[in-house]
């Protein structure tokens, strides 16, 4: 079975849209995205975030800055947004230019408005099992997995990749569901053997078609986070971290690229923005 991320994301957006519709016109969630420089993939991501935010009724603003902005000025812009009562979610699109310290920028964002879930307060809350803002991509993967396997208790899950954006928070979400989680990465020996024992594989490494059909068992569920541009027969194609064409008939379920995790990431950003709005509204 192919997991239809596009459809599941649409259902989630519809739910968010109907929740926002019930709010008074003068009090709707607001999301501000900061985009620095001309990074081509970031331009596309940000355009999509803005489009879908507006579609569900979130007031979305994109602040664009030149590549040369100083760290000091960027921090001041974030502080202004922290204090702006019309802004409930703040997202600084990554990657940042080399002269800007990413860690310091993330820590400048008010944790309650940190819709990316990258601030150490949110990272700590997630790993402690407290209420937290959860990073959008692993949260989207989690929703896809739960659609296919509602009870994950005791399953062997393998997370490929150990990034702060995906691998680590994904692991926390699966641990909370009582999975036995193995994280594999570039220095892991026998990745193939470890995957052969997995009930669930989440591939988030950024290596085109790395997971092969002889790595997986027939009852496995596979979630593909990768977005890799490759050239096949002189044509550019986007593929995931999983060798989809040779695997999809052999496993229980698999998410495609595109149309799997991608749409879920954006829907979860909208959900996090509504969550931030609700948290802030409760505090006031
Ligand atoms: N760049 C690529 N993915 C992401 C993401 O999830 N959040 C942000 N802020 N930047 C990104």
């Amino acid at each position: 079975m192919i997991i239809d991320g596009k459809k599941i994301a649409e259902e989630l957006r519809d739910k968010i849209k109907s929740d926002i519709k019930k709010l008074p016109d003068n009090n709707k969630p607001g999301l501000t995205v900061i985009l620095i420089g001309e990074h081509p993939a970031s331009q596309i991501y940000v355009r999509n975030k803005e489009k879908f935010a507006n579609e569900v009724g979130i007031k979305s603003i994109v602040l664009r800055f030149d590549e040369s902005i100083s760290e000091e000025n960027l921090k001041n812009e974030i502080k202004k947004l922290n204090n702006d009562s019309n802004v409930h979610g703040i997202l600084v699109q990554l990657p940042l230019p080399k002269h800007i310290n990413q860690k310091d920028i993330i820590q400048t964002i008010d944790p309650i408005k940190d819709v990316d879930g990258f601030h150490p307060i949110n990272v700590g809350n997630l790993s402690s099992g407290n209420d937290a803002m959860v990073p959008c991509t692993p949260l989207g993967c989690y929703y896809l997995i739960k659609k296919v396997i509602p009870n994950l208790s005791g399953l062997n899950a393998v997370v490929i990749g150990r990034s702060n954006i995906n691998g680590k928070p994904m692991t926390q979400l699966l641990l909370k569901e009582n999975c036995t989680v193995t994280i594999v990465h570039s220095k892991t020996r026998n990745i193939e053997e470890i995957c052969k024992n997995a009930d669930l594989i989440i591939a988030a490494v950024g290596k085109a078609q790395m997971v092969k059909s002889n790595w997986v068992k027939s009852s496995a569920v596979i979630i593909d986070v990768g977005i890799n541009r490759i050239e096949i027969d002189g044509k550019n194609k986007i593929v995931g971290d999983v060798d989809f064409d040779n695997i999809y008939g052999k496993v229980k379920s698999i998410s495609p690229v595109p149309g799997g995790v991608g749409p879920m990431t954006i829907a979860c950003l909208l959900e996090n923005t509504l969550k931030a709005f609700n948290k802030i509204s409760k505090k006031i």
Side-chain angles (χ1 to χ4, degrees):
M1 187 191 104
I2 295 176
I3 304 171
D4 190 347
K6 236 173 125 178
K7 182 164 159 270
I8 299 167
E10 198 179 323
E11 287 164 8
L12 181 55
R13 290 200 308 273
D14 284 347
K15 163 89 178 67
I16 296 164
K17 192 173 177 175
S18 95
D19 286 352
I20 293 174
K21 220 171 169 183
K22 292 175 197 145
L23 298 167
D25 280 346
N26 62 355
N27 191 25
K28 301 280 190 191
L31 170 69
T32 297
V33 175
I34 294 182
L35 176 60
I36 296 159
E38 306 292 332
H39 192 270
S42 291
Q43 304 285 331
I44 299 168
Y45 294 149
V46 168
R47 214 179 303 137
N48 280 327
K49 285 170 185 171
E50 191 181 21
K51 173 177 163 247
F52 284 112
N54 287 321
E55 263 181 41
V56 299
I58 290 173
K59 288 178 292 173
S60 165
I61 292 171
V62 179
L63 294 181
R64 291 182 164 79
F65 296 104
D66 192 84
E67 185 89 23
S68 64
I69 187 171
S70 70
E71 189 171 314
E72 184 71 18
N73 283 348
L74 179 56
K75 281 182 182 165
N76 286 334
E77 294 292 339
I78 293 170
K79 286 175 193 163
K80 274 194 254 170
L81 298 172
N82 285 343
N83 294 322
D84 185 338
S85 61
N86 290 314
V87 175
H88 307 91
I90 302 169
L91 183 145
V92 179
Q93 186 66 30
L94 305 177
L96 294 173
K98 284 199 175 64
H99 66 277
I100 295 176
N101 184 321
Q102 181 175 306
K103 230 184 193 162
D104 289 346
I105 292 301
I106 288 171
Q107 295 201 26
T108 307
I109 301 170
D110 183 341
I112 206 168
K113 298 189 176 186
D114 168 35
V115 284
D116 258 329
F118 294 165
H119 192 289
I121 295 268
N122 284 314
V123 176
N125 276 333
L126 177 62
S127 66
S128 307
N130 302 332
D131 180 51
M133 207 58 93
V134 179
C136 307
T137 301
L139 185 59
C141 294
Y142 172 78
Y143 288 150
L144 293 182
I145 295 165
K146 288 288 276 186
K147 278 269 175 192
V148 189
I149 326 172
N151 181 5
L152 302 175
S153 185
L155 296 187
N156 285 333
V158 173
V159 177
I160 309 178
R162 55 178 155 177
S163 70
N164 291 335
I165 293 184
N166 278 305
K168 287 181 198 159
M170 190 72 242
T171 300
Q172 298 298 346
L173 291 171
L174 294 170
L175 275 177
K176 232 171 150 173
E177 291 285 322
N178 301 312
C179 286
T180 302
V181 190
T182 308
I183 308 184
V184 302
H185 48 78
S186 55
K187 300 290 187 289
T188 302
R189 282 170 263 160
N190 297 329
I191 292 187
E192 185 178 330
E193 289 307 313
I194 296 167
C195 285
K196 278 181 184 163
N197 193 34
D199 301 305
L200 180 58
I201 296 175
I202 296 97
V205 264
K207 260 184 112 174
Q209 300 165 321
M210 178 181 121
V211 178
K212 301 294 181 199
S213 61
N214 60 345
W215 293 25
V216 297
K217 60 181 185 183
S218 59
S219 57
V221 170
I222 302 179
I223 304 293
D224 193 347
V225 182
I227 302 175
N228 309 291
R229 273 156 245 270
I230 60 165
E231 211 184 283
I232 299 176
D233 303 330
K235 281 186 195 146
N236 283 324
K237 204 179 161 208
I238 295 201
V239 297
D241 293 345
V242 177
D243 185 7
F244 182 89
D245 291 344
N246 292 311
I247 285 188
Y248 85 91
K250 293 186 178 167
V251 292
K252 186 179 168 202
S253 312
I254 183 167
S255 71
V257 177
V261 174
M264 289 302 290
T265 297
I266 297 186
C268 288
L269 170 66
L270 310 178
E271 187 182 56
N272 279 351
T273 306
L274 180 57
K275 181 175 172 169
F277 171 87
N278 286 330
K279 275 187 165 189
I280 291 165
S281 305
K282 250 192 222 161
K283 259 181 75 173
I284 295 165

